Amino acid sequence: MKLKIRTGFGYDVHQLQEGLDFWLGGIKIPHTHGALGHSDADVLIHVICDALLGAANMRDIGYHFSDRDPQYKGIDSKILLKEVMHLLSREGYEIGNIDSTICLQEPKVNPHIPAMKKCLAEVMGIPEHDISIKATTTEHLGFVGKKEGVAAFATVLIVKQ
Ligand SMILES: [Zn+2]
């Protein structure tokens, strides 16, 4: 039988505001500011969800979990990611690998990456080795550099046996 390999891409941005919890990659990052959103505004999980849905040609995160639906207000994005995994496995897809980049001026993301990988691997039920998380600043340029927001990108490969 032919092996079917598909690729997907995700991009997302959230505003940063003082005094909010900062959820990133499924964990809470200690910081003065946090991301603003209808859910917990976890930008890394959102791009992974969008990349997975895109790879399966199943629309995007906003289509499945509307930001106008009160049941998703403040929701833990890990629940959304689990649901996306269910949608994909129902179609017979397994994850090949995930590669992602978080764009944030501060705080430093690198020290938190091992904990994020561990958390996401548990939620998705895949090996940590299949999840790559990278971080970059934008050298003080643009909305990321001015600490007004956080952005992220992800690509994924999914495989149908
Ligand atoms: Zn988002």
Side-chain angles (χ1 to χ4, degrees), residues 12-14 36-37 39 41-43 46-47 61 77:
D12 192 24
V13 169
H14 282 269
L36 179 70
S39 65
D42 190 322
V43 73
H46 292 179
V47 293
I61 191 171
S77 293

Side-chain angles (χ1 to χ4, degrees), residues 38 65-72:
H38 185 68
F65 316 106
S66 168
D67 64 4
R68 289 182 195 149
D69 189 334
Q71 71 167 308
Y72 300 122

Side-chain angles (χ1 to χ4, degrees), residues 103-125:
C103 307
L104 183 65
Q105 192 61 44
E106 64 178 32
K108 285 256 172 281
V109 172
N110 273 319
H112 303 293
I113 287 177
M116 290 178 187
K117 284 174 74 168
K118 186 170 184 290
C119 173
L120 295 179
E122 269 173 33
V123 171
M124 303 176 82

